Amino acid sequence: MTAPDPDPYAKVRAELLELDRKHPEYGVKATLAGNLIGPASQDRPSVPPWRYLDKDSESGGNILPRAAAIELRYPVRFKNGGEDTASLSEMADMFRSTPEGIVAYYEIAVAAGAIEWDSDERCIRELQDPEAYVPRVFERWANRPDAKP
């Protein structure tokens, strides 16, 4: 029995990136998301992504360097059994926000009981079907005091 492939998307990703290299006018690389960008970072911290930008209580600086923190890839396990990977910067691009805005989104989703951090697997776990939480979480997120106009 062979071991499962740790990155089953590697071949497809390589082909898409080669296409982007040959034809940058297509903008293939800019459209990649989730597993097609890459697997979860092996060196990701044991804290949830919404804590990646936290300040250190002693030094006042970020716990992780910001540039590295926003690129760390983490797994997301969906209620329906699916799985994907994401990073704060990828989510910010997708949501037309900032990494800090994505942290706010995750915090609202946690408070709503929609997602949680699985510390054993170091992944975000979806607890509710998207139809049940996305509209109310997005409404709260879009109307938060620090949201961009």
Side-chain angles (χ1 to χ4, degrees):
M1 183 174 202
T2 60
D5 185 349
D7 186 5
Y9 298 92
K11 183 178 178 188
V12 172
R13 182 182 318 109
E15 290 171 358
L16 290 169
L17 292 175
E18 179 63 15
L19 177 64
D20 189 69
R21 188 188 66 73
K22 288 180 179 177
H23 299 283
E25 68 275 16
Y26 296 162
V28 171
K29 187 175 182 181
T31 63
L32 297 181
N35 289 324
L36 289 176
I37 291 179
S41 304
Q42 293 301 309
D43 61 346
R44 67 189 184 278
S46 58
V47 299
W50 50 91
R51 302 280 316 278
Y52 287 2
L53 301 178
D54 282 1
K55 302 289 183 192
D56 179 36
S57 60
E58 292 182 24
S59 72
N62 286 13
I63 293 172
L64 298 167
R66 185 180 189 284
I70 65 172
E71 297 301 331
L72 283 169
R73 301 194 60 69
Y74 47 86
V76 180
R77 305 255 162 76
F78 300 107
K79 189 169 185 331
N80 70 4
E83 184 175 323
D84 207 352
T85 58
S87 70
L88 293 176
S89 66
E90 176 187 339
M91 296 297 291
D93 288 346
M94 190 182 320
F95 285 38
R96 296 188 176 130
S97 184
T98 64
E100 291 78 8
I102 299 306
V103 166
Y105 171 81
Y106 282 145
E107 289 172 339
I108 292 166
V110 168
I115 64 171
E116 69 179 1
W117 178 247
D118 182 327
S119 58
D120 292 335
E121 295 194 32
R122 294 184 307 151
C123 73
I124 293 175
R125 189 167 303 281
E126 188 179 53
L127 301 174
Q128 299 175 16
D129 290 319
E131 302 81 29
Y133 76 86
V134 168
R136 63 187 157 88
V137 168
F138 265 94
E139 182 176 356
R140 288 191 60 212
W141 180 70
N143 292 311
R144 68 192 192 283
D146 65 329
K148 290 183 178 181

PDB file of all heavy atoms in Angstrom, residues 44-71:
ATOM      1  N   ARG A  44       3.333  26.188  10.283  1.00  0.00           N
ATOM      2  CA  ARG A  44       2.334  27.114  10.809  1.00  0.00           C
ATOM      3  C   ARG A  44       2.228  26.939  12.331  1.00  0.00           C
ATOM      4  O   ARG A  44       2.433  25.846  12.855  1.00  0.00           O
ATOM      5  CB  ARG A  44       0.986  26.923  10.125  1.00  0.00           C
ATOM      6  CG  ARG A  44       0.306  25.612  10.412  1.00  0.00           C
ATOM      7  CD  ARG A  44      -0.924  25.421   9.521  1.00  0.00           C
ATOM      8  NE  ARG A  44      -1.624  24.202   9.853  1.00  0.00           N
ATOM      9  CZ  ARG A  44      -1.291  22.987   9.431  1.00  0.00           C
ATOM     10  NH1 ARG A  44      -0.256  22.825   8.647  1.00  0.00           N
ATOM     11  NH2 ARG A  44      -1.993  21.924   9.788  1.00  0.00           N
ATOM     12  N   PRO A  45       1.929  28.010  13.041  1.00  0.00           N
ATOM     13  CA  PRO A  45       1.843  27.932  14.502  1.00  0.00           C
ATOM     14  C   PRO A  45       0.611  27.157  14.965  1.00  0.00           C
ATOM     15  O   PRO A  45      -0.295  26.880  14.174  1.00  0.00           O
ATOM     16  CB  PRO A  45       1.768  29.394  14.934  1.00  0.00           C
ATOM     17  CG  PRO A  45       1.259  30.122  13.752  1.00  0.00           C
ATOM     18  CD  PRO A  45       1.698  29.354  12.539  1.00  0.00           C
ATOM     19  N   SER A  46       0.575  26.846  16.226  1.00  0.00           N
ATOM     20  CA  SER A  46      -0.552  26.090  16.777  1.00  0.00           C
ATOM     21  C   SER A  46      -1.731  26.987  17.138  1.00  0.00           C
ATOM     22  O   SER A  46      -2.753  26.497  17.584  1.00  0.00           O
ATOM     23  CB  SER A  46      -0.103  25.285  18.001  1.00  0.00           C
ATOM     24  OG  SER A  46       0.422  26.159  18.972  1.00  0.00           O
ATOM     25  N   VAL A  47      -1.607  28.281  16.921  1.00  0.00           N
ATOM     26  CA  VAL A  47      -2.708  29.210  17.197  1.00  0.00           C
ATOM     27  C   VAL A  47      -3.552  29.387  15.939  1.00  0.00           C
ATOM     28  O   VAL A  47      -3.064  29.191  14.822  1.00  0.00           O
ATOM     29  CB  VAL A  47      -2.199  30.581  17.685  1.00  0.00           C
ATOM     30  CG1 VAL A  47      -1.416  30.445  18.975  1.00  0.00           C
ATOM     31  CG2 VAL A  47      -1.378  31.279  16.621  1.00  0.00           C
ATOM     32  N   PRO A  48      -4.816  29.751  16.077  1.00  0.00           N
ATOM     33  CA  PRO A  48      -5.664  29.952  14.894  1.00  0.00           C
ATOM     34  C   PRO A  48      -5.216  31.162  14.077  1.00  0.00           C
ATOM     35  O   PRO A  48      -4.589  32.084  14.615  1.00  0.00           O
ATOM     36  CB  PRO A  48      -7.053  30.168  15.491  1.00  0.00           C
ATOM     37  CG  PRO A  48      -6.842  30.546  16.896  1.00  0.00           C
ATOM     38  CD  PRO A  48      -5.536  29.962  17.327  1.00  0.00           C
ATOM     39  N   PRO A  49      -5.554  31.176  12.790  1.00  0.00           N
ATOM     40  CA  PRO A  49      -5.146  32.296  11.929  1.00  0.00           C
ATOM     41  C   PRO A  49      -5.604  33.659  12.427  1.00  0.00           C
ATOM     42  O   PRO A  49      -4.939  34.657  12.169  1.00  0.00           O
ATOM     43  CB  PRO A  49      -5.786  31.967  10.575  1.00  0.00           C
ATOM     44  CG  PRO A  49      -5.993  30.494  10.605  1.00  0.00           C
ATOM     45  CD  PRO A  49      -6.240  30.133  12.042  1.00  0.00           C
ATOM     46  N   TRP A  50      -6.725  33.706  13.135  1.00  0.00           N
ATOM     47  CA  TRP A  50      -7.187  35.007  13.639  1.00  0.00           C
ATOM     48  C   TRP A  50      -6.318  35.496  14.788  1.00  0.00           C
ATOM     49  O   TRP A  50      -6.507  36.597  15.271  1.00  0.00           O
ATOM     50  CB  TRP A  50      -8.667  34.989  14.022  1.00  0.00           C
ATOM     51  CG  TRP A  50      -9.105  33.876  14.897  1.00  0.00           C
ATOM     52  CD1 TRP A  50      -9.144  33.873  16.267  1.00  0.00           C
ATOM     53  CD2 TRP A  50      -9.590  32.601  14.480  1.00  0.00           C
ATOM     54  NE1 TRP A  50      -9.623  32.676  16.715  1.00  0.00           N
ATOM     55  CE2 TRP A  50      -9.908  31.870  15.643  1.00  0.00           C
ATOM     56  CE3 TRP A  50      -9.790  32.003  13.239  1.00  0.00           C
ATOM     57  CZ2 TRP A  50     -10.412  30.572  15.598  1.00  0.00           C
ATOM     58  CZ3 TRP A  50     -10.290  30.723  13.204  1.00  0.00           C
ATOM     59  CH2 TRP A  50     -10.592  30.012  14.365  1.00  0.00           C
ATOM     60  N   ARG A  51      -5.310  34.728  15.184  1.00  0.00           N
ATOM     61  CA  ARG A  51      -4.349  35.166  16.196  1.00  0.00           C
ATOM     62  C   ARG A  51      -2.972  35.448  15.585  1.00  0.00           C
ATOM     63  O   ARG A  51      -2.070  35.906  16.287  1.00  0.00           O
ATOM     64  CB  ARG A  51      -4.198  34.082  17.278  1.00  0.00           C
ATOM     65  CG  ARG A  51      -5.460  33.675  18.008  1.00  0.00           C
ATOM     66  CD  ARG A  51      -5.872  34.618  19.111  1.00  0.00           C
ATOM     67  NE  ARG A  51      -4.780  35.043  19.953  1.00  0.00           N
ATOM     68  CZ  ARG A  51      -4.270  34.350  20.982  1.00  0.00           C
ATOM     69  NH1 ARG A  51      -4.765  33.179  21.317  1.00  0.00           N
ATOM     70  NH2 ARG A  51      -3.274  34.845  21.680  1.00  0.00           N
ATOM     71  N   TYR A  52      -2.793  35.186  14.298  1.00  0.00           N
ATOM     72  CA  TYR A  52      -1.488  35.365  13.659  1.00  0.00           C
ATOM     73  C   TYR A  52      -0.964  36.791  13.763  1.00  0.00           C
ATOM     74  O   TYR A  52       0.242  37.009  13.762  1.00  0.00           O
ATOM     75  CB  TYR A  52      -1.540  34.982  12.171  1.00  0.00           C
ATOM     76  CG  TYR A  52      -1.631  33.511  11.850  1.00  0.00           C
ATOM     77  CD1 TYR A  52      -1.710  32.530  12.835  1.00  0.00           C
ATOM     78  CD2 TYR A  52      -1.647  33.093  10.531  1.00  0.00           C
ATOM     79  CE1 TYR A  52      -1.805  31.191  12.513  1.00  0.00           C
ATOM     80  CE2 TYR A  52      -1.732  31.749  10.196  1.00  0.00           C
ATOM     81  CZ  TYR A  52      -1.811  30.804  11.187  1.00  0.00           C
ATOM     82  OH  TYR A  52      -1.895  29.480  10.839  1.00  0.00           O
ATOM     83  N   LEU A  53      -1.846  37.766  13.826  1.00  0.00           N
ATOM     84  CA  LEU A  53      -1.427  39.164  13.863  1.00  0.00           C
ATOM     85  C   LEU A  53      -1.475  39.767  15.267  1.00  0.00           C
ATOM     86  O   LEU A  53      -1.299  40.974  15.427  1.00  0.00           O
ATOM     87  CB  LEU A  53      -2.283  40.002  12.905  1.00  0.00           C
ATOM     88  CG  LEU A  53      -2.244  39.555  11.441  1.00  0.00           C
ATOM     89  CD1 LEU A  53      -3.166  40.419  10.590  1.00  0.00           C
ATOM     90  CD2 LEU A  53      -0.833  39.561  10.897  1.00  0.00           C
ATOM     91  N   ASP A  54      -1.690  38.927  16.277  1.00  0.00           N
ATOM     92  CA  ASP A  54      -1.735  39.409  17.660  1.00  0.00           C
ATOM     93  C   ASP A  54      -0.410  40.060  18.055  1.00  0.00           C
ATOM     94  O   ASP A  54       0.650  39.713  17.549  1.00  0.00           O
ATOM     95  CB  ASP A  54      -2.018  38.258  18.636  1.00  0.00           C
ATOM     96  CG  ASP A  54      -3.480  37.852  18.662  1.00  0.00           C
ATOM     97  OD1 ASP A  54      -4.275  38.433  17.914  1.00  0.00           O
ATOM     98  OD2 ASP A  54      -3.806  36.927  19.423  1.00  0.00           O
ATOM     99  N   LYS A  55      -0.500  40.957  19.008  1.00  0.00           N
ATOM    100  CA  LYS A  55       0.683  41.620  19.561  1.00  0.00           C
ATOM    101  C   LYS A  55       1.211  40.817  20.746  1.00  0.00           C
ATOM    102  O   LYS A  55       0.446  40.245  21.523  1.00  0.00           O
ATOM    103  CB  LYS A  55       0.348  43.035  20.032  1.00  0.00           C
ATOM    104  CG  LYS A  55      -0.218  43.930  18.951  1.00  0.00           C
ATOM    105  CD  LYS A  55       0.829  44.300  17.947  1.00  0.00           C
ATOM    106  CE  LYS A  55       0.236  45.257  16.915  1.00  0.00           C
ATOM    107  NZ  LYS A  55       1.102  45.427  15.784  1.00  0.00           N
ATOM    108  N   ASP A  56       2.525  40.809  20.878  1.00  0.00           N
ATOM    109  CA  ASP A  56       3.170  40.180  22.027  1.00  0.00           C
ATOM    110  C   ASP A  56       2.979  41.108  23.224  1.00  0.00           C
ATOM    111  O   ASP A  56       3.249  42.306  23.144  1.00  0.00           O
ATOM    112  CB  ASP A  56       4.658  39.972  21.725  1.00  0.00           C
ATOM    113  CG  ASP A  56       5.403  39.342  22.876  1.00  0.00           C
ATOM    114  OD1 ASP A  56       4.826  38.487  23.575  1.00  0.00           O
ATOM    115  OD2 ASP A  56       6.575  39.701  23.081  1.00  0.00           O
ATOM    116  N   SER A  57       2.487  40.565  24.338  1.00  0.00           N
ATOM    117  CA  SER A  57       2.174  41.397  25.504  1.00  0.00           C
ATOM    118  C   SER A  57       3.420  42.057  26.101  1.00  0.00           C
ATOM    119  O   SER A  57       3.320  43.120  26.703  1.00  0.00           O
ATOM    120  CB  SER A  57       1.459  40.569  26.573  1.00  0.00           C
ATOM    121  OG  SER A  57       2.273  39.499  26.990  1.00  0.00           O
ATOM    122  N   GLU A  58       4.582  41.469  25.928  1.00  0.00           N
ATOM    123  CA  GLU A  58       5.799  42.058  26.503  1.00  0.00           C
ATOM    124  C   GLU A  58       6.444  43.073  25.571  1.00  0.00           C
ATOM    125  O   GLU A  58       6.767  44.176  25.991  1.00  0.00           O
ATOM    126  CB  GLU A  58       6.796  40.957  26.856  1.00  0.00           C
ATOM    127  CG  GLU A  58       6.311  40.097  28.016  1.00  0.00           C
ATOM    128  CD  GLU A  58       7.320  39.033  28.390  1.00  0.00           C
ATOM    129  OE1 GLU A  58       8.514  39.209  28.107  1.00  0.00           O
ATOM    130  OE2 GLU A  58       6.895  38.032  28.989  1.00  0.00           O
ATOM    131  N   SER A  59       6.621  42.718  24.304  1.00  0.00           N
ATOM    132  CA  SER A  59       7.345  43.604  23.391  1.00  0.00           C
ATOM    133  C   SER A  59       6.427  44.597  22.676  1.00  0.00           C
ATOM    134  O   SER A  59       6.884  45.637  22.228  1.00  0.00           O
ATOM    135  CB  SER A  59       8.103  42.787  22.349  1.00  0.00           C
ATOM    136  OG  SER A  59       7.202  42.217  21.425  1.00  0.00           O
ATOM    137  N   GLY A  60       5.142  44.253  22.545  1.00  0.00           N
ATOM    138  CA  GLY A  60       4.225  45.102  21.808  1.00  0.00           C
ATOM    139  C   GLY A  60       4.280  44.872  20.308  1.00  0.00           C
ATOM    140  O   GLY A  60       3.466  45.392  19.570  1.00  0.00           O
ATOM    141  N   GLY A  61       5.251  44.080  19.843  1.00  0.00           N
ATOM    142  CA  GLY A  61       5.351  43.757  18.417  1.00  0.00           C
ATOM    143  C   GLY A  61       4.483  42.555  18.091  1.00  0.00           C
ATOM    144  O   GLY A  61       3.957  41.882  18.982  1.00  0.00           O
ATOM    145  N   ASN A  62       4.343  42.282  16.806  1.00  0.00           N
ATOM    146  CA  ASN A  62       3.564  41.118  16.397  1.00  0.00           C
ATOM    147  C   ASN A  62       4.232  39.841  16.870  1.00  0.00           C
ATOM    148  O   ASN A  62       5.463  39.754  16.908  1.00  0.00           O
ATOM    149  CB  ASN A  62       3.415  41.073  14.875  1.00  0.00           C
ATOM    150  CG  ASN A  62       2.438  42.092  14.352  1.00  0.00           C
ATOM    151  OD1 ASN A  62       2.041  43.002  15.064  1.00  0.00           O
ATOM    152  ND2 ASN A  62       2.052  41.944  13.119  1.00  0.00           N
ATOM    153  N   ILE A  63       3.417  38.840  17.236  1.00  0.00           N
ATOM    154  CA  ILE A  63       3.935  37.539  17.643  1.00  0.00           C
ATOM    155  C   ILE A  63       4.727  36.931  16.490  1.00  0.00           C
ATOM    156  O   ILE A  63       5.800  36.372  16.682  1.00  0.00           O
ATOM    157  CB  ILE A  63       2.786  36.614  18.085  1.00  0.00           C
ATOM    158  CG1 ILE A  63       2.163  37.140  19.371  1.00  0.00           C
ATOM    159  CG2 ILE A  63       3.270  35.187  18.266  1.00  0.00           C
ATOM    160  CD1 ILE A  63       0.903  36.414  19.802  1.00  0.00           C
ATOM    161  N   LEU A  64       4.189  37.051  15.286  1.00  0.00           N
ATOM    162  CA  LEU A  64       4.852  36.579  14.068  1.00  0.00           C
ATOM    163  C   LEU A  64       5.126  37.790  13.184  1.00  0.00           C
ATOM    164  O   LEU A  64       4.342  38.737  13.187  1.00  0.00           O
ATOM    165  CB  LEU A  64       3.934  35.621  13.296  1.00  0.00           C
ATOM    166  CG  LEU A  64       3.527  34.337  13.983  1.00  0.00           C
ATOM    167  CD1 LEU A  64       2.382  33.676  13.220  1.00  0.00           C
ATOM    168  CD2 LEU A  64       4.712  33.387  14.045  1.00  0.00           C
ATOM    169  N   PRO A  65       6.218  37.778  12.413  1.00  0.00           N
ATOM    170  CA  PRO A  65       6.411  38.881  11.465  1.00  0.00           C
ATOM    171  C   PRO A  65       5.210  38.956  10.520  1.00  0.00           C
ATOM    172  O   PRO A  65       4.779  37.940   9.975  1.00  0.00           O
ATOM    173  CB  PRO A  65       7.687  38.491  10.712  1.00  0.00           C
ATOM    174  CG  PRO A  65       8.383  37.510  11.602  1.00  0.00           C
ATOM    175  CD  PRO A  65       7.301  36.800  12.372  1.00  0.00           C
ATOM    176  N   ARG A  66       4.655  40.139  10.339  1.00  0.00           N
ATOM    177  CA  ARG A  66       3.422  40.299   9.575  1.00  0.00           C
ATOM    178  C   ARG A  66       3.531  39.717   8.177  1.00  0.00           C
ATOM    179  O   ARG A  66       2.641  39.003   7.716  1.00  0.00           O
ATOM    180  CB  ARG A  66       3.035  41.774   9.498  1.00  0.00           C
ATOM    181  CG  ARG A  66       1.688  41.987   8.820  1.00  0.00           C
ATOM    182  CD  ARG A  66       1.330  43.473   8.745  1.00  0.00           C
ATOM    183  NE  ARG A  66      -0.038  43.649   8.303  1.00  0.00           N
ATOM    184  CZ  ARG A  66      -0.448  43.516   7.054  1.00  0.00           C
ATOM    185  NH1 ARG A  66       0.407  43.173   6.112  1.00  0.00           N
ATOM    186  NH2 ARG A  66      -1.720  43.700   6.738  1.00  0.00           N
ATOM    187  N   ALA A  67       4.619  40.011   7.468  1.00  0.00           N
ATOM    188  CA  ALA A  67       4.762  39.533   6.087  1.00  0.00           C
ATOM    189  C   ALA A  67       4.689  38.009   6.011  1.00  0.00           C
ATOM    190  O   ALA A  67       4.085  37.453   5.098  1.00  0.00           O
ATOM    191  CB  ALA A  67       6.076  40.029   5.489  1.00  0.00           C
ATOM    192  N   ALA A  68       5.269  37.332   6.984  1.00  0.00           N
ATOM    193  CA  ALA A  68       5.223  35.864   7.000  1.00  0.00           C
ATOM    194  C   ALA A  68       3.857  35.378   7.469  1.00  0.00           C
ATOM    195  O   ALA A  68       3.310  34.411   6.924  1.00  0.00           O
ATOM    196  CB  ALA A  68       6.320  35.318   7.909  1.00  0.00           C
ATOM    197  N   ALA A  69       3.296  36.038   8.467  1.00  0.00           N
ATOM    198  CA  ALA A  69       2.024  35.597   9.056  1.00  0.00           C
ATOM    199  C   ALA A  69       0.891  35.591   8.044  1.00  0.00           C
ATOM    200  O   ALA A  69       0.078  34.664   8.014  1.00  0.00           O
ATOM    201  CB  ALA A  69       1.657  36.482  10.244  1.00  0.00           C
ATOM    202  N   ILE A  70       0.833  36.602   7.189  1.00  0.00           N
ATOM    203  CA  ILE A  70      -0.295  36.684   6.262  1.00  0.00           C
ATOM    204  C   ILE A  70      -0.174  35.684   5.113  1.00  0.00           C
ATOM    205  O   ILE A  70      -1.153  35.426   4.414  1.00  0.00           O
ATOM    206  CB  ILE A  70      -0.514  38.112   5.730  1.00  0.00           C
ATOM    207  CG1 ILE A  70       0.652  38.584   4.867  1.00  0.00           C
ATOM    208  CG2 ILE A  70      -0.785  39.072   6.877  1.00  0.00           C
ATOM    209  CD1 ILE A  70       0.401  39.907   4.161  1.00  0.00           C
ATOM    210  N   GLU A  71       1.009  35.100   4.925  1.00  0.00           N
ATOM    211  CA  GLU A  71       1.201  34.117   3.859  1.00  0.00           C
ATOM    212  C   GLU A  71       1.130  32.674   4.349  1.00  0.00           C
ATOM    213  O   GLU A  71       1.110  31.747   3.547  1.00  0.00           O
ATOM    214  CB  GLU A  71       2.540  34.351   3.145  1.00  0.00           C
ATOM    215  CG  GLU A  71       2.632  35.696   2.444  1.00  0.00           C
ATOM    216  CD  GLU A  71       1.561  35.924   1.385  1.00  0.00           C
ATOM    217  OE1 GLU A  71       1.080  34.949   0.778  1.00  0.00           O
ATOM    218  OE2 GLU A  71       1.200  37.095   1.166  1.00  0.00           O
TER     219      GLU A  71
END
